[in-house]
Amino acid sequence: MRSRSPLLTTGVTLTLSALVLSGCATESTATDDSVSLAYTMPDVFTTTMEAVTATVNAAGDVSLEAESIGNTYNDLTQRIVADAAAGTQADLALVPINRIPNLAEQGILQPVGDLLEAKNVTLDDLDPAAVSLSEVDGELYGVPFALSAPMLYLNADLFRAAGLDPETPPTTWAEVRSAAKALTDSGSEGIVYQWDQDQWVFQSHLNSGGGTMLAPDGESVAFDDENGVSALTFWTDLVEDGSFPVLTSTPNPDDRTAFTRGELGMWVGSSAFASSVESQIDFEVRTAQFPSEDGSSTPVAAGGSAIVMLATDETTQKNAAPVLAAFAKPETSKALVESTGYLPINKTARESSEYLLDFLADQPLRQPAIGQIARLEPWTSYTGNRSVEISERITKELEAALKGVKTPEQALDDAGTAANRLIGVK
């Protein structure tokens, strides 16, 4: 792996079958056929990365080294930008799908469509909707790897204790409010919407009331209109009622931890955590689709990531082609889905008993998210080089509203003003 600065590196590395790696970014001992890959959220992705690394290295065509950097997508995105400027970037990286347009616009990502075609690698097994999320202006920039959707988790035991029926989870805002109050009145916490994860849950909640994050031309925001105020006011009203504790998911998953400890009656978070949630609880858990204002099937933001090309030299790109191909295989989908709650976007894996068919039949927690695939829309990104900054500012303003520092109107107005100033800035 190329030498890289230590900023944000967790020191987590993978032990490979033919190579022992150091967690520090010291002088490289990699061979000419080596390929480096940077990823994040080791608690989620390391199991799958180990499986792919072992498979690639066992084939003997290239030597893959994967390194975990930071704990969030923003950590890794900022590192990628810094390393690209210094010329020390990894060859491949796992990036959130909403950053692909920005990184491609900056010339940091390299298109991979022609490379895959030249190597006879097809993505025919992957859902077209998933593949489209890795495209920019019709050009393919990555292999979709992990796709998720926000959904409602509920503690069935707390529901019953509050006189609620877990068999009929809330589908509307009014039902969410009523259930949250009943849970709070019975002595538990009502609900937490995962509000600080790059506003993709807020995007879905905004959609669920008829709003949208961006104006149709993509050059200004739309979340600061009456739909946005209504959506955020719904959250702040829950907070004021004592039904929505303002817990965070970054840098520590306090909201998810509260749910797995049995303190929260409802949690709106990523389907990617379905497996880890189920493994940590001692109560009966249920899941349901994302509630909307009127119960209709409104769009939800597609979370997740893709494996993208950062290397610019032709030899390294050719070496990386088998690695990209490995992430498109049903074996990889099987490893990812079995160890996380990510959606099975590989059709062969999803439909074959050799891979995931039987496994998914015994996984009721995953069905609501799989049922939302038709509702998925792109996770909002912003043109220019300041997309991460825009997302972080929006999150900061959501926090100000939830903590009562600002009204929803003030928070969204301030977020919108800041975002509109930064959209398109190079």
Side-chain angles (χ1 to χ4, degrees):
M1 182 181 287
R2 294 179 177 84
S3 174
R4 298 202 293 276
S5 63
L7 176 64
L8 296 177
T9 303
T10 65
V12 178
T13 53
L14 304 181
T15 301
L16 311 180
S17 57
L19 188 64
V20 177
L21 305 174
S22 168
C24 301
T26 55
E27 184 178 354
S28 173
T29 58
T31 60
D32 290 340
D33 63 355
S34 66
V35 176
S36 58
L37 186 154
Y39 70 101
T40 190
M41 294 192 291
D43 58 324
V44 176
F45 291 121
T46 293
T47 297
T48 307
M49 290 298 176
E50 287 176 337
V52 173
T53 299
T55 298
V56 169
N57 288 339
D61 297 324
V62 296
S63 175
L64 174 62
E65 177 185 348
E67 180 184 8
S68 172
I69 294 174
N71 293 303
T72 70
Y73 283 134
N74 280 352
D75 286 349
L76 181 56
T77 300
Q78 291 170 324
R79 172 67 175 268
I80 287 170
V81 172
D83 283 354
T88 56
Q89 71 270 27
D91 303 319
L92 300 170
L94 172 75
V95 302
I97 53 178
N98 68 322
R99 302 302 180 205
I100 291 176
N102 306 120
L103 295 173
E105 181 184 8
Q106 296 176 61
I108 294 173
L109 303 190
Q110 309 305 315
V112 298
D114 290 343
L115 172 68
L116 295 178
E117 184 177 354
K119 294 292 185 178
N120 297 315
V121 176
T122 73
L123 303 184
D124 293 345
D125 262 0
L126 303 184
D127 283 314
V131 176
S132 70
L133 296 171
S134 296
E135 295 176 341
V136 179
D137 297 330
E139 187 90 66
L140 183 67
Y141 279 88
V143 174
F145 169 56
L147 195 65
S148 63
M151 65 179 181
L152 175 67
Y153 293 78
L154 61 91
N155 183 321
D157 295 350
L158 293 182
F159 256 58
R160 295 188 187 98
L164 302 169
D165 182 4
E167 302 296 333
T168 56
T171 61
T172 68
W173 288 7
E175 290 171 353
V176 168
R177 183 192 298 275
S178 177
K181 186 175 188 311
L183 288 160
T184 303
D185 289 346
S186 69
S188 64
E189 302 282 9
I191 186 170
V192 170
Y193 281 81
Q194 193 181 53
W195 57 270
D196 67 332
Q197 276 278 13
D198 212 315
Q199 89 265 337
W200 75 295
V201 170
F202 179 70
Q203 175 183 335
S204 301
H205 186 62
L206 176 63
N207 291 345
S208 76
T212 184
M213 294 295 289
L214 281 173
D217 63 5
E219 298 302 318
S220 61
V221 303
F223 60 72
D224 53 355
D225 65 3
E226 65 276 7
N227 292 307
V229 172
S230 177
L232 185 52
T233 299
F234 177 78
W235 284 6
T236 58
D237 284 350
L238 287 170
V239 174
E240 290 176 8
D241 289 345
S243 299
F244 184 162
V246 187
L247 305 177
T248 61
S249 45
T250 55
N252 300 308
D254 296 330
D255 53 355
R256 179 160 38 109
T257 300
F259 182 77
T260 57
R261 285 178 177 171
E263 299 165 4
L264 270 178
M266 294 181 288
W267 177 60
V268 181
S270 174
S271 62
F273 298 120
S275 178
S276 63
V277 164
E278 193 169 27
S279 69
Q280 296 174 49
I281 61 172
D282 59 3
F283 55 84
E284 185 180 354
V285 64
R286 303 288 177 86
T287 56
Q289 292 196 9
F290 197 93
S292 65
E293 186 174 31
D294 61 4
S296 60
S297 297
T298 52
V300 291
S305 52
I307 305 296
V308 299
M309 179 75 73
L310 305 177
T312 57
D313 65 282
E314 185 176 346
T315 298
T316 303
Q317 290 181 352
K318 288 180 178 178
N319 287 340
V323 181
L324 291 173
F327 280 95
K329 291 181 178 179
E331 291 87 351
T332 300
S333 182
K334 181 177 186 292
L336 178 70
V337 172
E338 286 183 347
S339 63
T340 70
Y342 280 105
L343 299 174
I345 62 173
N346 186 294
K347 292 177 286 186
T348 294
R350 188 172 64 231
E351 298 167 3
S352 171
S353 293
E354 181 181 355
Y355 299 107
L356 289 170
L357 182 63
D358 297 336
F359 172 80
L360 291 173
D362 194 37
Q363 296 290 316
L365 293 187
R366 298 165 186 260
Q367 299 312 313
I370 294 173
Q372 289 182 152
I373 290 177
R375 297 173 60 181
L376 294 178
E377 71 167 10
W379 184 2
T380 299
S381 63
Y382 308 92
T383 59
N385 298 350
R386 310 289 285 277
S387 188
V388 171
E389 186 177 344
I390 293 170
S391 296
E392 291 180 342
R393 179 57 185 269
I394 294 170
T395 300
K396 179 181 178 181
E397 297 299 339
L398 294 178
E399 181 176 19
L402 290 171
K403 291 185 175 180
V405 177
K406 297 182 181 181
T407 67
E409 293 90 344
Q410 290 171 329
L412 293 180
D413 184 62
D414 290 347
T417 299
N420 286 333
R421 247 190 248 117
L422 296 173
I423 289 175
V425 173
K426 300 290 180 68

